[in-house]
């Protein structure tokens, strides 16, 4: 027989005291055929939590639950109208439930099942025929109707933050770095997309403080919908009933976190007065609403894209200053995949290049390290073995980026690097070489004495490539140092200059146009966790602390 709808009828309060109906293949009064198997299926949406099931079946049934047909598993096997009762933890989401019902006798006899699902004292489901499909063979996923969006069942965090302390966003990748005794590296990216966290502070009094307390106690570690506070948009004209979407005439929509299907919090600041709307189509300069607004909103209303989140494993910390005033520091764990298109931005000679400028209000700290080993028997002098022979420099610096374009460019760069996994080229950010005057051009460069020829007996990869940067911007010129020698008027005179021989000629350059000459080398991030500090909403400015490791490619460096 073809796919069809089942029937139901009431089995009496004595055996079914909760009012659940018996779901059966035939109308009441007609017994289903004997020695047959009937396949029932439907979709359910569950919020995260522990549920109590009470299932009966006559003659016998196997009950399956899972996200789809292939990943379902057996959760109950009720028989002979004896209730099967059990508790089950279910993560939030949409699930498929199958009841494979068997009428065992050869003749036609009653054959049915019933189901009653609760969560605590709340009734989640009492069986009826609605929503179920019936067939004589397994029912495919494509034949089932969609269930309720699980996000609609989740609590909403509607309390706005205290921006006095800003918001800290964390992006966390995971990389295995395997290093040999000669400092050769092999890096394996374990996490394709970063885990994302937000640390936010709140200060509330009276009933709003109580709301924080009740959320922590009642929701706990379960999933909920969290607004992305730093991505809020102020609706200058409000939202009227005829509104079809939101315009972004500055073309910034592609850099914002409004995606098709996203839930959006519409709020004027009152945690009890908000609407949830859904993003429809996203175009270049606008997105539409999936459904019209339920009511008008006044000027100044704010909209926030939302993500599924949970309170991170570290318990939130609350400080109650009086009996009515309290503050809370909360770490939110975003329970959705963080996706940003990976891009290195503008390259340098077809190689990825770190073009972000450090914030010079803070110092740039550099640590120097070599892969060396110490043998110490405690009696004589320690013996040092320098297997690596090449120095790495670790640069600690901070960026302060202004505007959404710069912030989005950094996010794309971080996604391309995936923490420590991928390398790029980066300068030291310092004026490492000072010419004695205007550069006449050619394949030699005369510079102020800096000990390069004296100390670089072993060529170091982090001090071979020069980058010439100019005040008016434009293309950076790169040259590799092939050799160096000291210049002095005679053998007994002190060194007055050094001459660097380059791999290719330079053009003539006036010192007045030259901003700096920096060493450039192969670099990777020396961190998998990045903290992005948002001092205010709208990504007007962000602060990011970075650790960069500059190193040589030990695999290709000649012995």
């Amino acid at each position: 027989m073809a796919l069809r709808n089942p029937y139901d009828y009431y089995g009496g309060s004595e055996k079914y005291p909760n009012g659940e109906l018996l779901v059966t293949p035939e109308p009441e009064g007609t017994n289903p055929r004997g020695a047959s198997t009937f396949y029932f299926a439907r979709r359910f949406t569950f919020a995260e939590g522990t549920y109590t099931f009470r299932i009966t079946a006559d003659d016998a049934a196997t009950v399956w639950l899972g996200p789809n047909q292939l990943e379902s598993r057996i959760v109950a096997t009720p028989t002979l109208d004896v209730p099967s009762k059990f508790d089950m933890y279910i993560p939030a989401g949409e699930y498929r439930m199958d009841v494979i019902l068997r009428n065992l006798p050869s003749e036609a006899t009653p054959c049915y099942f019933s189901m009653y699902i609760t969560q605590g004292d709340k009734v989640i489901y009492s069986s009826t025929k609605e929503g179920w499909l019936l067939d004589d063979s397994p029912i495919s996923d494509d034949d089932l109707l969609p269930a309720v969006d699980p996000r609609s069942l989740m609590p909403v965090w509607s309390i706005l933050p205290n921006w006095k302390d800003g918001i800290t966003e964390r992006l966390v990748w995971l990389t295995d770095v395997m290093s040999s005794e000669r400092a050769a590296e092999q890096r394996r990216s374990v996490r394709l997309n970063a885990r994302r966290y937000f640390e936010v502070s709140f200060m509330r009094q009276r009933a709003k403080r109580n709301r924080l307390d009740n959320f922590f106690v009642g929701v706990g570690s379960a999933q909920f919908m969290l607004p992305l506070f730093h991505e809020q948009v102020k609706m200058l004209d409000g939202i009227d009933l005829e509104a079809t979407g939101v315009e972004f005439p500055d073309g910034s929509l592609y850099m914002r976190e409004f995606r098709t299907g996203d839930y959006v919090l519409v709020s004027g600041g009152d945690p009890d007065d908000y609407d949830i709307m859904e993003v429809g189509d996203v175009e270049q300069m606008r997105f539409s609403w999936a459904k019209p607004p339920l009511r008008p909103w006044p000027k100044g209303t704010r909209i926030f894209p939302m993500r599924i989140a949970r309170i991170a494993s570290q318990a939130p910390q609350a400080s109650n200053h009086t009996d009515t005033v309290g503050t809370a520091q909360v770490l939110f764990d975003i329970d959705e995949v963080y996706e940003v298109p990976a891009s290195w931005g503008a390259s340098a000679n077809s190689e990825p290049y770190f073009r972000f400028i450090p914030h010079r209000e803070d110092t740039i700290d550099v640590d120097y390290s070599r892969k060396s080993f110490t043998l110490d028997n405690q009696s004589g002098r320690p013996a040092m073995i320098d297997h690596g022979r090449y120095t790495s420099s670790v640069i600690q610096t901070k960026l302060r980026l202004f505007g959404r374009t710069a912030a989005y460019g950094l996010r794309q760069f971080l996604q391309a690097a995936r923490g420590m996994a991928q390398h790029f080229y980066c300068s030291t950010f310092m004026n490492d070489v000072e010419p004695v005057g205007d550069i006449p051009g050619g394949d030699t460069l005369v510079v102020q004495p800096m000990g390069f020829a004296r100390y670089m007996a072993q060529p170091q990869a982090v001090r071979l490539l020069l980058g010439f940067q100019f005040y008016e911007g434009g293309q950076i010129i790169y040259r590799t140092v092939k050799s160096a020698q000291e210049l002095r008027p005679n053998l007994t005179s002190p060194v007055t200059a050094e001459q660097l021989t380059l791999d290719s000629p330079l053009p003539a350059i006036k010192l007045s146009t030259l901003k700096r000459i920096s060493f450039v080398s192969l670099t990777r991030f020396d961190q998998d966790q990045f903290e992005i500090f948002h001092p205010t909403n709208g990504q007007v400015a962000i602060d990011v602390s970075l650790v960069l490791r500059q190193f040589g490619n030990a695999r290709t460096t000649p012995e």
Side-chain angles (χ1 to χ4, degrees), residues 102-180:
R102 295 177 178 84
N103 200 5
L104 299 178
S106 58
E107 67 276 8
T109 60
C111 183
Y112 53 81
F113 74 88
S114 70
M115 186 177 301
Y116 190 68
I117 308 174
T118 59
Q119 187 179 36
D121 295 330
K122 181 180 179 181
V123 177
I124 303 300
Y125 176 71
S126 182
S127 58
T128 67
K129 65 181 180 181
E130 278 72 27
W132 291 95
L133 290 178
L134 166 66
D135 206 340
D136 296 316
S137 60
I139 300 170
S140 72
D141 291 328
D142 294 337
D143 290 328
L144 298 180
L145 297 175
V148 177
D149 191 324
R151 295 175 299 175
S152 65
L153 304 178
M154 296 179 186
V156 174
W157 183 284
S158 58
I159 307 167
L160 301 185
N162 175 16
W163 280 98
K164 180 178 74 69
D165 299 320
I167 290 176
T168 299
E169 176 185 359
R170 294 190 181 96
L171 301 175
V172 186
W173 279 269
L174 183 62
T175 311
D176 277 346
V177 179
M178 294 159 280
S179 179
S180 75

Side-chain angles (χ1 to χ4, degrees), residues 219-438:
V219 177
S221 60
Q223 290 179 321
F224 55 90
M225 296 304 298
L226 177 74
L228 299 182
F229 304 111
H230 66 288
E231 281 285 359
Q232 62 181 277
V233 177
K234 188 174 183 179
M235 307 301 293
L236 298 179
D237 298 323
I239 301 176
D240 57 44
L241 291 174
E242 288 73 36
T244 59
V246 180
E247 304 283 342
F248 294 86
D250 60 354
S252 66
L253 181 55
Y254 78 96
M255 296 182 286
R256 297 178 180 267
E257 299 197 48
F258 293 95
R259 308 171 305 188
T260 299
D262 278 351
Y263 276 15
V264 173
L265 177 72
V266 183
S267 173
D270 186 342
D272 288 312
D273 185 19
Y274 63 85
D275 283 340
I276 302 297
M277 299 182 68
E278 184 177 344
V279 176
D281 294 330
V282 177
E283 301 171 11
Q284 185 175 1
M285 301 181 69
R286 75 182 303 271
F287 70 77
S288 61
W289 297 117
K291 296 179 182 178
L294 298 175
R295 53 175 169 156
W297 284 85
K299 295 180 180 180
T301 296
R302 299 177 187 272
I303 62 173
F304 306 78
M306 304 180 78
R307 296 291 183 268
I308 299 172
R310 63 177 77 234
I311 294 174
S313 56
Q314 298 91 332
Q317 297 179 344
S319 300
N320 296 318
H321 303 276
T322 70
D323 59 350
T324 60
V325 177
T327 59
Q329 193 78 11
V330 189
L331 181 62
F332 297 107
D333 181 355
I334 303 301
D335 218 5
E336 295 188 41
V337 175
Y338 174 72
E339 292 182 307
V340 171
S343 173
W344 296 112
S347 63
N349 294 343
S350 302
E351 294 287 348
Y353 187 79
F354 187 88
R355 293 184 177 273
F356 302 94
I357 307 300
H359 183 46
R360 288 290 179 170
E361 185 178 295
D362 301 283
T363 61
I364 297 177
D365 300 322
V366 184
D367 295 328
Y368 303 93
S369 64
R370 289 171 79 116
K371 193 80 170 184
S372 58
F373 300 90
T374 302
L375 299 177
D376 189 356
N377 61 9
Q378 302 299 319
S379 59
R381 292 293 305 158
M384 181 74 72
I385 301 175
D386 188 2
H387 277 300
R389 295 181 295 166
Y390 301 106
T391 299
S392 296
S393 58
V394 179
I395 300 173
Q396 301 179 56
T397 186
K398 179 180 288 187
L399 305 182
R400 175 164 293 173
L401 303 180
F402 296 94
R404 188 172 297 275
T405 301
Y408 187 71
L410 177 64
R411 290 180 183 275
Q412 289 186 297
F413 194 95
L414 296 180
Q415 180 63 43
R418 298 200 308 276
M420 297 187 289
Q422 298 294 326
H423 64 255
F424 46 90
Y425 281 86
C426 179
S427 76
T428 61
F429 310 113
M430 302 298 294
N431 188 23
D432 296 312
V433 176
E434 296 192 15
V436 295
D438 291 342

Side-chain angles (χ1 to χ4, degrees), residues 159 202-215 271-272 319-327:
I159 307 167
F202 299 87
M203 182 175 183
R204 292 295 182 270
Q205 62 180 343
R206 300 190 182 280
K208 293 180 180 179
R209 187 214 68 84
N210 302 340
R211 177 186 292 273
L212 284 171
D213 179 80
N214 291 327
F215 194 99
D272 288 312
S319 300
N320 296 318
H321 303 276
T322 70
D323 59 350
T324 60
V325 177
T327 59

